mmCIF file of all heavy atoms in Angstrom:
data_model
loop_
_atom_site.group_PDB
_atom_site.id
_atom_site.type_symbol
_atom_site.label_atom_id
_atom_site.label_comp_id
_atom_site.label_asym_id
_atom_site.label_seq_id
_atom_site.Cartn_x
_atom_site.Cartn_y
_atom_site.Cartn_z
ATOM 1 N N LYS A 123 77.883 62.553 116.855
ATOM 2 C CA LYS A 123 76.795 63.467 116.516
ATOM 3 C C LYS A 123 77.269 64.624 115.624
ATOM 4 O O LYS A 123 76.486 65.164 114.851
ATOM 5 C CB LYS A 123 76.165 64.014 117.798
ATOM 6 C CG LYS A 123 75.425 62.971 118.617
ATOM 7 C CD LYS A 123 74.729 63.604 119.805
ATOM 8 C CE LYS A 123 73.934 62.571 120.590
ATOM 9 N NZ LYS A 123 73.228 63.167 121.749
ATOM 10 N N GLU A 130 76.823 72.700 105.619
ATOM 11 C CA GLU A 130 77.074 74.121 105.822
ATOM 12 C C GLU A 130 77.490 74.430 107.260
ATOM 13 O O GLU A 130 78.282 75.335 107.509
ATOM 14 C CB GLU A 130 75.838 74.953 105.446
ATOM 15 C CG GLU A 130 74.567 74.590 106.172
ATOM 16 C CD GLU A 130 73.743 73.548 105.430
ATOM 17 O OE1 GLU A 130 74.311 72.833 104.589
ATOM 18 O OE2 GLU A 130 72.528 73.501 105.688
ATOM 19 N N ALA A 144 92.208 72.537 108.928
ATOM 20 C CA ALA A 144 90.949 72.279 108.228
ATOM 21 C C ALA A 144 91.142 71.219 107.153
ATOM 22 O O ALA A 144 90.308 70.322 106.983
ATOM 23 C CB ALA A 144 90.416 73.564 107.617
ATOM 24 N N HIS A 165 92.799 81.110 103.818
ATOM 25 C CA HIS A 165 93.793 81.964 104.466
ATOM 26 C C HIS A 165 95.078 81.152 104.633
ATOM 27 O O HIS A 165 95.126 80.221 105.439
ATOM 28 C CB HIS A 165 93.297 82.450 105.827
ATOM 29 C CG HIS A 165 92.036 83.255 105.766
ATOM 30 N ND1 HIS A 165 92.025 84.628 105.835
ATOM 31 C CD2 HIS A 165 90.736 82.873 105.630
ATOM 32 C CE1 HIS A 165 90.778 85.064 105.742
ATOM 33 N NE2 HIS A 165 89.980 84.020 105.624
ATOM 34 N N PHE A 180 104.505 73.669 102.285
ATOM 35 C CA PHE A 180 103.534 74.764 102.288
ATOM 36 C C PHE A 180 103.011 75.017 100.879
ATOM 37 O O PHE A 180 101.814 75.201 100.665
ATOM 38 C CB PHE A 180 104.180 76.025 102.861
ATOM 39 C CG PHE A 180 103.267 77.220 102.877
ATOM 40 C CD1 PHE A 180 102.305 77.379 103.861
ATOM 41 C CD2 PHE A 180 103.371 78.194 101.886
ATOM 42 C CE1 PHE A 180 101.463 78.473 103.871
ATOM 43 C CE2 PHE A 180 102.529 79.296 101.885
ATOM 44 C CZ PHE A 180 101.570 79.429 102.877
ATOM 45 N N VAL A 184 99.076 74.779 99.484
ATOM 46 C CA VAL A 184 98.358 75.802 98.738
ATOM 47 C C VAL A 184 97.877 75.249 97.402
ATOM 48 O O VAL A 184 96.731 75.478 96.991
ATOM 49 C CB VAL A 184 99.245 77.047 98.522
ATOM 50 C CG1 VAL A 184 98.491 78.108 97.725
ATOM 51 C CG2 VAL A 184 99.696 77.616 99.854
ATOM 52 N N GLN A 222 89.784 82.212 88.350
ATOM 53 C CA GLN A 222 88.774 81.306 87.824
ATOM 54 C C GLN A 222 87.590 81.166 88.774
ATOM 55 O O GLN A 222 86.636 80.444 88.477
ATOM 56 C CB GLN A 222 89.393 79.930 87.542
ATOM 57 C CG GLN A 222 90.514 79.973 86.521
ATOM 58 C CD GLN A 222 91.236 78.647 86.395
ATOM 59 O OE1 GLN A 222 90.708 77.597 86.766
ATOM 60 N NE2 GLN A 222 92.457 78.675 85.855
ATOM 61 N N ASP A 262 104.166 96.930 82.662
ATOM 62 C CA ASP A 262 103.180 97.991 82.479
ATOM 63 C C ASP A 262 101.790 97.416 82.697
ATOM 64 O O ASP A 262 101.348 96.543 81.954
ATOM 65 C CB ASP A 262 103.306 98.571 81.071
ATOM 66 C CG ASP A 262 102.534 99.862 80.913
ATOM 67 O OD1 ASP A 262 102.130 100.433 81.942
ATOM 68 O OD2 ASP A 262 102.325 100.292 79.767
ATOM 69 N N THR A 298 87.096 103.368 98.947
ATOM 70 C CA THR A 298 88.153 103.561 99.940
ATOM 71 C C THR A 298 89.506 103.288 99.302
ATOM 72 O O THR A 298 89.725 102.233 98.711
ATOM 73 C CB THR A 298 87.952 102.624 101.145
ATOM 74 O OG1 THR A 298 86.678 102.873 101.746
ATOM 75 C CG2 THR A 298 89.036 102.849 102.189
ATOM 76 N N SER A 325 83.976 109.069 91.276
ATOM 77 C CA SER A 325 82.772 109.739 91.779
ATOM 78 C C SER A 325 82.259 109.145 93.084
ATOM 79 O O SER A 325 81.572 109.816 93.845
ATOM 80 C CB SER A 325 81.664 109.686 90.719
ATOM 81 O OG SER A 325 81.368 108.338 90.367
ATOM 82 N N PRO A 369 92.581 120.521 92.415
ATOM 83 C CA PRO A 369 91.204 120.844 92.046
ATOM 84 C C PRO A 369 90.468 121.352 93.279
ATOM 85 O O PRO A 369 91.024 121.367 94.375
ATOM 86 C CB PRO A 369 90.646 119.486 91.606
ATOM 87 C CG PRO A 369 91.372 118.512 92.487
ATOM 88 C CD PRO A 369 92.763 119.087 92.672
ATOM 89 N N LEU A 408 106.609 117.702 111.374
ATOM 90 C CA LEU A 408 107.972 117.743 111.875
ATOM 91 C C LEU A 408 108.635 118.896 111.150
ATOM 92 O O LEU A 408 108.740 118.897 109.924
ATOM 93 C CB LEU A 408 108.705 116.422 111.593
ATOM 94 C CG LEU A 408 108.113 115.192 112.287
ATOM 95 C CD1 LEU A 408 108.869 113.942 111.861
ATOM 96 C CD2 LEU A 408 108.163 115.339 113.802
ATOM 97 N N ILE A 416 110.694 132.348 109.561
ATOM 98 C CA ILE A 416 109.916 133.089 108.556
ATOM 99 C C ILE A 416 108.726 132.270 108.061
ATOM 100 O O ILE A 416 108.232 132.486 106.961
ATOM 101 C CB ILE A 416 110.799 133.472 107.358
ATOM 102 C CG1 ILE A 416 111.437 132.227 106.744
ATOM 103 C CG2 ILE A 416 111.859 134.477 107.757
ATOM 104 C CD1 ILE A 416 112.177 132.504 105.447
ATOM 105 N N HIS A 431 82.610 126.914 107.827
ATOM 106 C CA HIS A 431 82.306 125.493 108.012
ATOM 107 C C HIS A 431 83.138 124.792 109.090
ATOM 108 O O HIS A 431 82.685 123.799 109.664
ATOM 109 C CB HIS A 431 82.490 124.740 106.686
ATOM 110 C CG HIS A 431 81.547 125.184 105.606
ATOM 111 N ND1 HIS A 431 80.238 124.777 105.551
ATOM 112 C CD2 HIS A 431 81.741 126.016 104.552
ATOM 113 C CE1 HIS A 431 79.653 125.326 104.499
ATOM 114 N NE2 HIS A 431 80.533 126.085 103.880
ATOM 115 N N TYR A 451 95.015 132.446 114.455
ATOM 116 C CA TYR A 451 94.323 132.772 113.198
ATOM 117 C C TYR A 451 93.023 131.967 113.079
ATOM 118 O O TYR A 451 91.977 132.498 112.696
ATOM 119 C CB TYR A 451 95.264 132.475 112.036
ATOM 120 C CG TYR A 451 94.639 132.572 110.667
ATOM 121 C CD1 TYR A 451 94.365 133.806 110.083
ATOM 122 C CD2 TYR A 451 94.334 131.420 109.943
ATOM 123 C CE1 TYR A 451 93.813 133.890 108.814
ATOM 124 C CE2 TYR A 451 93.776 131.491 108.678
ATOM 125 C CZ TYR A 451 93.514 132.732 108.120
ATOM 126 O OH TYR A 451 92.953 132.817 106.871
ATOM 127 N N PRO A 486 91.391 136.507 121.357
ATOM 128 C CA PRO A 486 89.957 136.624 121.075
ATOM 129 C C PRO A 486 89.469 135.408 120.269
ATOM 130 O O PRO A 486 90.111 135.004 119.295
ATOM 131 C CB PRO A 486 89.859 137.910 120.245
ATOM 132 C CG PRO A 486 91.111 138.666 120.542
ATOM 133 C CD PRO A 486 92.158 137.650 120.809
#
Side-chain angles (χ1 to χ4, degrees):
K123 292 185 177 181
E130 57 269 21
H165 300 259
F180 179 80
V184 179
Q222 299 172 20
D262 193 14
T298 301
S325 58
L408 297 176
I416 57 172
H431 297 281
Y451 172 75

